Amino acid sequence: MRLRQAFGLSCMTLLVTSIILAAQVRPGQAVEVHDVPNPRQQGGWVTDMADILSSETETELNQLISELEAYNGTEIAVVTVSDTAGAASPKAFVHELFNTWGVGKANVNNGVVFLVSVGDRRAEIETGYGIVKVLPDQRVVSLLKQRAVPRFKEGDYDRGVLSVTEGMVTILSDSTPYNPVLSPLMDLSNGIKVIILAGGGFLAVFFRGFQKLTKKPLQGMPGDQERLSWFQGLLGQPVECTRCQQRMLKTDKNTLYVHLKKPQRVASELGNIRCQGWQCPTCRGVYVQVFDQSGRRKYCQQCAEKTLRISSHIEVYPTYSHSGRKRVTTHCECCGDHHERTVTLPRKERSSSSSSSSSSSSSSRSSSRSSGRSFGGGRSGGSGGGASW
């Protein structure tokens, strides 16, 4: 009897102790978004709540991101937490954190948040609206799987976080440089561009109509072809049949296609040339005009046709420490002539404002451009990606 009482008392004691420990431990583990300190309030870009990064790594991360922000305004926040139990998922956590802080400039939304949740064994990268094309979701996942996951499995968080950040900085360095005076006026400049283009279109239509009413038509012999520059065909001009002395009418696409040579059809599909046809209403003869769209850039030296397809692929991105490499391919869609060449991309150069001797002043400028001691007010729609280890 005493043994049963003692066993029951021990079970009750163990249960009460477990409840007390759970009540004490759980609130400390559940990190909420509002619990994460904003690194910009300390003049940096890194918040290491999980205490997994060395001071040397934090210094290098802050310098890398400060240089990128000084160059083109992109803002990157690196955050580590013990877990994200206070949110539905690490993805939901980083998305809320991004928009709570407003990472990136408000007018271009060029922000990134790199989150490492140690307890969840999950890394997430959230990107702003403005850099999705430069850093698409597939590329984000590839960066994490290739640079972070292998090192995180070994417990080497320093190298993993630094390697991913270096990769993002290299990619995002290709974006347009940030101008602290002109960038806030981007929306206004875009509006002015629309007005200028609309006005230019109106003038083009006006002069085209004026030209048709006042100028004498061009003379065209049915069956002939004439190669003109792109500028010559900008406004267009009516054509008069030299055989029947009648004003020709523009042909439809099917009629024009029949009278084009095979290389011209290929070049037209590639966008290297533009063709239009004129047909005489009396003799039904067709006169073809060919307008050059790309100068000698798409000109094949083997068959002398405008049928080159040029493509390029960056194999190695340049960094501040080494040069890059780009593969350029030219292929003629008419004769099949194919060439490949490798182009060396020069190393990136650090500006005087972002050199190590003046990194503190660069960080100060970055802080002043980012709304004093905060981020710039950017937004994210949930783009990015993650990986587990």
Side-chain angles (χ1 to χ4, degrees):
M1 186 69 179
R2 291 180 179 178
L3 183 61
R4 289 183 179 179
Q5 291 178 347
F7 179 74
L9 182 61
S10 299
C11 290
M12 286 294 295
T13 303
L14 180 61
L15 179 61
V16 171
T17 304
S18 300
I19 294 174
I20 293 174
L21 289 175
Q24 291 176 346
V25 173
R26 186 174 181 80
Q29 291 178 338
V31 179
E32 302 285 348
V33 168
H34 58 77
D35 295 330
V36 183
N38 189 328
R40 300 305 297 135
Q41 295 177 356
Q42 304 300 322
W45 306 94
V46 183
T47 295
D48 183 22
M49 290 188 70
D51 195 23
I52 58 175
L53 302 177
S54 65
S55 58
E56 292 80 8
T57 298
E58 286 194 38
T59 300
E60 192 165 354
L61 288 170
N62 282 321
Q63 183 173 341
L64 275 171
I65 301 171
S66 293
E67 290 175 351
L68 177 65
E69 197 272 342
Y71 173 67
N72 61 12
T74 303
E75 298 179 351
I76 301 178
V78 178
V79 180
T80 72
V81 294
S82 57
D83 62 58
T84 57
S89 64
K91 177 63 178 177
F93 185 92
V94 72
H95 177 66
E96 182 182 354
L97 183 66
F98 188 111
N99 289 320
T100 298
W101 286 350
V103 184
K105 300 297 185 290
N107 56 332
V108 287
N109 298 305
N110 56 347
V112 178
V113 176
F114 178 18
L115 173 74
V116 178
S117 178
V118 179
D120 298 310
R121 299 182 68 85
R122 182 75 178 177
E124 292 283 351
I125 292 178
E126 182 92 358
T127 55
Y129 290 110
I131 61 173
V132 173
K133 291 184 178 180
V134 181
L135 191 61
D137 297 355
Q138 298 87 343
R139 205 166 193 179
V140 167
V141 175
S142 178
L143 277 174
L144 291 173
K145 288 184 176 180
Q146 294 178 8
R147 293 173 177 250
V149 171
R151 293 178 172 91
F152 288 175
K153 286 181 177 180
E154 299 172 354
D156 192 351
Y157 294 103
D158 279 319
R159 289 181 59 201
V161 171
L162 187 58
S163 179
V164 171
T165 305
E166 286 176 339
M168 290 193 295
V169 168
T170 299
I171 296 170
L172 295 171
S173 295
D174 292 335
S175 302
T176 304
Y178 178 79
N179 189 311
V181 176
L182 297 180
S183 292
L185 302 177
M186 183 177 296
D187 294 334
L188 178 61
S189 65
N190 288 336
I192 294 174
K193 288 179 182 178
V194 172
I195 295 174
I196 292 175
L197 290 174
F202 173 78
L203 290 176
V205 172
F206 173 79
F207 281 116
R208 182 172 181 176
F210 179 79
Q211 196 175 40
K212 285 185 177 181
L213 291 174
T214 59
K215 284 196 172 183
K216 183 179 178 180
L218 295 173
Q219 299 292 316
M221 173 63 72
D224 287 348
Q225 292 191 356
E226 184 177 2
R227 184 177 293 274
L228 304 172
S229 68
W230 174 84
F231 182 77
Q232 288 173 298
L234 181 63
L235 298 178
Q237 198 166 350
V239 178
E240 186 178 87
C241 177
T242 55
R243 181 186 298 162
C244 306
Q245 306 302 316
Q246 296 291 325
R247 180 169 293 190
M248 291 184 168
L249 303 176
K250 271 193 175 181
T251 64
D252 55 51
K253 291 183 179 179
N254 293 332
T255 303
L256 173 62
Y257 189 81
V258 171
H259 288 81
L260 291 179
K261 301 174 184 177
K262 182 180 178 180
Q264 292 175 338
R265 297 172 187 172
V266 176
S268 179
E269 292 173 358
L270 292 173
N272 297 342
I273 63 173
R274 182 173 65 86
C275 304
Q276 64 181 17
W278 300 85
Q279 189 170 36
C280 177
T282 304
C283 67
R284 309 302 296 173
V286 175
Y287 170 71
V288 177
Q289 292 178 330
V290 180
F291 301 102
D292 198 336
Q293 296 279 87
S294 58
R296 296 189 60 83
R297 183 167 171 265
K298 302 293 182 70
Y299 176 82
C300 177
Q301 296 182 356
Q302 188 70 22
C303 64
E305 297 292 345
K306 299 282 294 186
T307 50
L308 276 189
R309 186 191 296 274
I310 302 176
S311 60
S312 63
H313 172 69
I314 298 180
E315 297 178 334
V316 178
Y317 281 88
T319 66
Y320 293 111
S321 58
H322 63 77
S323 59
R325 186 173 67 251
K326 179 171 69 172
R327 173 76 65 178
V328 180
T329 303
T330 58
H331 179 79
C332 179
E333 298 292 341
C334 182
C335 68
D337 189 46
H338 186 88
H339 295 281
E340 291 188 7
R341 60 190 177 94
T342 300
V343 178
T344 301
L345 303 175
R347 291 188 302 175
K348 294 183 179 295
E349 296 184 358
R350 302 182 190 274
S351 62
S352 58
S353 61
S354 59
S355 62
S356 58
S357 61
S358 59
S359 60
S360 60
S361 62
S362 173
S363 176
S364 175
R365 286 195 305 275
S366 302
S367 301
S368 64
R369 284 209 301 271
S370 301
S371 304
R373 307 289 284 184
S374 185
F375 291 97
R379 303 291 295 175
S380 170
S383 298
S388 301
W389 69 91

